[in-house]
Amino acid sequence: MTPDPAAATSGPHTLLAPSPWVMRFVPLIEPGARVLDLACGGGRHVRALAARGFAMHAVDRDAQAVEPLRAMAQVTVADLEAGAWPLGENRFGAVVVTNYLWRPLLPHIVQAVAEGGVLIYETFALGNGSVGKPSNPDFLLRPGELLDAARPHLRVVAYEDGFVAAPKPAFVQRICAVREHPPAPAAGAGSHPAKYNL
Ligand SMILES: C[S@@+](CC[C@H](N)C(=O)[O-])C[C@H]1O[C@@H](n2cnc3c(N)ncnc32)[C@H](O)[C@@H]1O
Protein backbone atom coordinates (compact mmCIF):
# COMPACT_ATOMS: atom_id res chain seq x y z
CA MET A 1 0.00 0.00 0.00
CA THR A 2 1.47 3.36 -0.93
CA PRO A 3 1.95 5.44 2.22
CA ASP A 4 -1.13 7.46 2.97
CA PRO A 5 -0.09 10.53 4.98
CA ALA A 6 -3.49 10.93 6.60
CA ALA A 7 -3.62 7.29 7.64
CA ALA A 8 -0.07 7.46 8.93
CA THR A 9 -0.84 10.26 11.33
CA SER A 10 -4.39 9.53 12.34
CA GLY A 11 -5.03 6.04 11.06
CA PRO A 12 -6.00 3.07 13.15
CA HIS A 13 -2.43 1.76 13.47
CA THR A 14 -1.73 4.67 15.76
CA LEU A 15 -4.44 3.45 18.12
CA LEU A 16 -2.97 1.33 20.85
CA ALA A 17 -6.01 -0.72 21.74
CA PRO A 18 -6.33 -4.00 19.90
CA SER A 19 -9.29 -4.44 17.60
CA PRO A 20 -12.34 -5.92 19.39
CA TRP A 21 -12.90 -8.05 16.28
CA VAL A 22 -9.47 -9.64 16.66
CA MET A 23 -9.78 -10.13 20.40
CA ARG A 24 -13.23 -11.66 20.05
CA PHE A 25 -11.84 -14.61 18.14
CA VAL A 26 -8.67 -15.23 20.11
CA PRO A 27 -10.39 -18.11 21.96
CA LEU A 28 -10.52 -19.99 18.64
CA ILE A 29 -6.71 -20.03 18.38
CA GLU A 30 -5.05 -23.14 19.76
CA PRO A 31 -3.14 -22.32 22.98
CA GLY A 32 0.51 -21.51 22.34
CA ALA A 33 0.06 -21.47 18.56
CA ARG A 34 2.34 -19.57 16.20
CA VAL A 35 0.52 -16.43 15.12
CA LEU A 36 1.39 -14.21 12.18
CA ASP A 37 0.55 -10.51 12.34
CA LEU A 38 0.99 -9.22 8.80
CA ALA A 39 1.66 -5.49 8.33
CA CYS A 40 1.66 -5.30 12.10
CA GLY A 41 2.70 -1.64 12.44
CA GLY A 42 3.39 -0.74 16.06
CA GLY A 43 2.20 -4.22 17.00
CA ARG A 44 -0.96 -3.68 19.04
CA HIS A 45 -2.01 -7.25 18.21
CA VAL A 46 1.51 -8.64 18.56
CA ARG A 47 1.60 -7.28 22.10
CA ALA A 48 -1.91 -8.39 23.01
CA LEU A 49 -1.42 -11.92 21.70
CA ALA A 50 2.14 -12.38 22.98
CA ALA A 51 0.74 -11.50 26.41
CA ARG A 52 -1.69 -14.40 25.99
CA GLY A 53 1.09 -16.86 25.33
CA PHE A 54 1.09 -17.08 21.54
CA ALA A 55 4.38 -17.34 19.61
CA MET A 56 4.20 -14.19 17.51
CA HIS A 57 5.69 -13.52 14.10
CA ALA A 58 5.49 -9.84 13.18
CA VAL A 59 5.93 -8.60 9.62
CA ASP A 60 6.09 -5.02 8.39
CA ARG A 61 8.27 -2.93 6.13
CA ASP A 62 8.70 -0.29 8.81
CA ALA A 63 11.88 -1.41 10.58
CA GLN A 64 11.61 1.31 13.19
CA ALA A 65 8.03 0.44 14.13
CA VAL A 66 8.78 -3.26 14.60
CA GLU A 67 12.09 -2.90 16.43
CA PRO A 68 10.50 -2.87 19.93
CA LEU A 69 8.57 -6.01 19.04
CA ARG A 70 11.74 -8.11 18.90
CA ALA A 71 11.42 -8.56 22.65
CA MET A 72 8.24 -10.56 22.21
CA ALA A 73 8.12 -11.75 18.61
CA GLN A 74 10.04 -13.07 15.67
CA VAL A 75 10.26 -10.09 13.35
CA THR A 76 10.53 -9.96 9.58
CA VAL A 77 11.11 -6.60 7.96
CA ALA A 78 9.90 -6.90 4.38
CA ASP A 79 8.13 -4.99 1.67
CA LEU A 80 5.10 -7.19 1.12
CA GLU A 81 4.35 -5.59 -2.20
CA ALA A 82 7.73 -6.23 -3.81
CA GLY A 83 9.31 -9.58 -4.47
CA ALA A 84 8.30 -12.99 -3.26
CA TRP A 85 6.01 -13.76 -0.31
CA PRO A 86 8.51 -13.52 2.56
CA LEU A 87 7.14 -16.36 4.69
CA GLY A 88 7.71 -19.24 2.30
CA GLU A 89 5.81 -22.39 3.21
CA ASN A 90 5.31 -21.38 6.86
CA ARG A 91 1.87 -22.11 8.26
CA PHE A 92 0.41 -20.45 11.35
CA GLY A 93 -2.16 -21.29 13.98
CA ALA A 94 -3.60 -17.86 13.27
CA VAL A 95 -3.04 -15.12 10.74
CA VAL A 96 -4.06 -11.63 11.77
CA VAL A 97 -4.31 -8.75 9.32
CA THR A 98 -5.79 -5.38 10.24
CA ASN A 99 -6.00 -2.13 8.35
CA TYR A 100 -3.90 -3.34 5.47
CA LEU A 101 -4.74 -4.57 2.00
CA TRP A 102 -2.60 -5.56 -0.92
CA ARG A 103 -4.95 -7.81 -2.82
CA PRO A 104 -2.32 -9.98 -4.59
CA LEU A 105 -1.43 -11.26 -1.09
CA LEU A 106 -4.89 -12.64 -0.35
CA PRO A 107 -4.14 -16.18 -1.62
CA HIS A 108 -0.87 -16.27 0.35
CA ILE A 109 -2.65 -15.10 3.48
CA VAL A 110 -5.29 -17.81 3.22
CA GLN A 111 -2.66 -20.42 2.44
CA ALA A 112 -0.63 -19.43 5.51
CA VAL A 113 -3.41 -20.64 7.81
CA ALA A 114 -2.45 -24.06 9.17
CA GLU A 115 -4.89 -26.91 9.63
CA GLY A 116 -6.90 -26.05 12.71
CA GLY A 117 -5.81 -22.43 12.30
CA VAL A 118 -7.76 -19.20 12.16
CA LEU A 119 -7.76 -16.22 9.83
CA ILE A 120 -8.78 -12.94 11.45
CA TYR A 121 -8.84 -10.09 8.97
CA GLU A 122 -10.32 -6.62 9.28
CA THR A 123 -9.73 -3.69 6.97
CA PHE A 124 -11.33 -0.83 5.11
CA ALA A 125 -13.89 -1.34 2.38
CA LEU A 126 -15.19 0.56 -0.61
CA GLY A 127 -17.14 3.59 0.52
CA ASN A 128 -14.49 4.56 3.05
CA GLY A 129 -13.44 7.46 0.84
CA SER A 130 -16.72 9.17 1.74
CA VAL A 131 -15.71 9.38 5.41
CA GLY A 132 -11.91 9.49 5.42
CA LYS A 133 -8.71 7.68 4.51
CA PRO A 134 -7.76 5.37 2.96
CA SER A 135 -9.81 6.36 -0.06
CA ASN A 136 -7.84 4.78 -2.90
CA PRO A 137 -9.95 1.86 -4.18
CA ASP A 138 -6.76 -0.19 -4.55
CA PHE A 139 -6.64 -0.35 -0.75
CA LEU A 140 -10.36 -0.88 -0.15
CA LEU A 141 -12.10 -4.23 -0.20
CA ARG A 142 -14.85 -4.81 -2.71
CA PRO A 143 -18.19 -6.15 -1.45
CA GLY A 144 -17.76 -9.75 -0.36
CA GLU A 145 -14.05 -9.80 -1.22
CA LEU A 146 -12.79 -11.30 2.05
CA LEU A 147 -15.57 -13.84 1.93
CA ASP A 148 -14.65 -14.83 -1.62
CA ALA A 149 -10.96 -15.12 -0.73
CA ALA A 150 -11.59 -17.33 2.30
CA ARG A 151 -14.54 -19.48 1.34
CA PRO A 152 -13.02 -21.92 -1.10
CA HIS A 153 -10.50 -23.04 1.52
CA LEU A 154 -11.69 -22.04 4.98
CA ARG A 155 -14.89 -22.31 6.96
CA VAL A 156 -16.28 -18.86 7.64
CA VAL A 157 -17.23 -18.43 11.28
CA ALA A 158 -18.13 -14.74 11.15
CA TYR A 159 -18.19 -12.01 8.54
CA GLU A 160 -19.30 -8.39 8.48
CA ASP A 161 -19.33 -5.82 5.70
CA GLY A 162 -20.61 -2.40 6.68
CA PHE A 163 -20.14 0.95 8.36
CA VAL A 164 -18.80 1.55 11.87
CA ALA A 165 -19.01 4.85 13.75
CA ALA A 166 -16.12 4.16 16.17
CA PRO A 167 -13.19 4.34 16.85
CA LYS A 168 -13.60 6.54 13.78
CA PRO A 169 -16.23 6.46 11.05
CA ALA A 170 -15.19 3.82 8.53
CA PHE A 171 -16.46 1.34 6.02
CA VAL A 172 -14.98 -2.00 7.01
CA GLN A 173 -15.08 -5.63 6.13
CA ARG A 174 -13.99 -8.28 8.60
CA ILE A 175 -13.84 -12.02 8.73
CA CYS A 176 -12.99 -14.87 11.00
CA ALA A 177 -12.49 -18.18 9.21
CA VAL A 178 -10.91 -21.49 10.17
CA ARG A 179 -9.10 -24.20 8.25
CA GLU A 180 -10.79 -27.25 9.61
CA HIS A 181 -8.97 -30.48 10.33
CA PRO A 182 -10.09 -33.15 7.88
CA PRO A 183 -12.47 -35.61 9.56
CA ALA A 184 -10.74 -38.63 11.11
CA PRO A 185 -11.29 -41.75 8.96
CA ALA A 186 -13.16 -43.48 11.78
CA ALA A 187 -15.37 -40.47 12.55
CA GLY A 188 -18.94 -41.64 12.46
CA ALA A 189 -22.36 -40.13 13.00
CA GLY A 190 -21.68 -39.92 16.74
CA SER A 191 -18.47 -37.88 16.39
CA HIS A 192 -18.42 -34.41 17.89
CA PRO A 193 -18.47 -31.46 15.49
CA ALA A 194 -15.94 -28.69 16.02
CA LYS A 195 -17.35 -25.91 18.19
CA TYR A 196 -16.56 -22.35 17.23
CA ASN A 197 -17.84 -20.24 20.10
CA LEU A 198 -19.25 -16.90 18.95
C1 LIG B 1 -2.62 1.29 8.93
S1 LIG B 1 -1.18 0.45 9.46
C2 LIG B 1 -1.88 -0.96 10.31
C3 LIG B 1 -0.97 -1.53 11.35
C4 LIG B 1 -1.55 -2.67 12.19
N1 LIG B 1 -1.96 -3.79 11.38
C5 LIG B 1 -2.71 -2.19 13.04
O1 LIG B 1 -3.85 -2.39 12.64
O2 LIG B 1 -2.46 -1.59 14.06
C6 LIG B 1 -0.58 -0.27 7.96
C7 LIG B 1 0.76 -0.95 8.12
O3 LIG B 1 1.07 -1.57 6.90
C8 LIG B 1 2.44 -1.44 6.68
N2 LIG B 1 2.70 -1.55 5.26
C9 LIG B 1 2.24 -0.75 4.29
N3 LIG B 1 2.72 -1.12 3.10
C10 LIG B 1 3.53 -2.19 3.34
C11 LIG B 1 4.34 -3.00 2.52
N4 LIG B 1 4.41 -2.80 1.22
N5 LIG B 1 5.03 -4.01 3.08
C12 LIG B 1 4.98 -4.22 4.42
N6 LIG B 1 4.23 -3.48 5.25
C13 LIG B 1 3.53 -2.46 4.71
C14 LIG B 1 2.80 -0.08 7.23
O4 LIG B 1 4.17 0.04 7.52
C15 LIG B 1 1.90 -0.01 8.45
O5 LIG B 1 2.58 -0.46 9.59
Side-chain angles (χ1 to χ4, degrees), residues 1 13 39-41 44 60-62 78-81 98-100:
M1 181 191 287
H13 80 298
C40 63
R44 57 189 174 130
D60 204 285
R61 70 174 173 193
D62 185 339
D79 183 345
L80 291 162
E81 297 160 24
T98 55
N99 299 337
Y100 176 74

Side-chain angles (χ1 to χ4, degrees), residues 132-152:
K133 299 281 186 179
S135 55
N136 181 336
D138 286 349
F139 310 139
L140 300 175
L141 288 159
R142 303 173 190 127
E145 192 168 3
L146 281 184
L147 205 51
D148 292 341
R151 214 158 30 180

Side-chain angles (χ1 to χ4, degrees), residues 1 3 8 37 44 47 57-58 66 97 110 113 140 144-145 155 168 178:
M1 181 191 287
D37 186 349
R44 57 189 174 130
R47 293 168 196 279
H57 192 141
V66 295
V97 191
V110 169
V113 179
L140 300 175
E145 192 168 3
R155 172 170 166 178
K168 65 169 194 171
V178 296

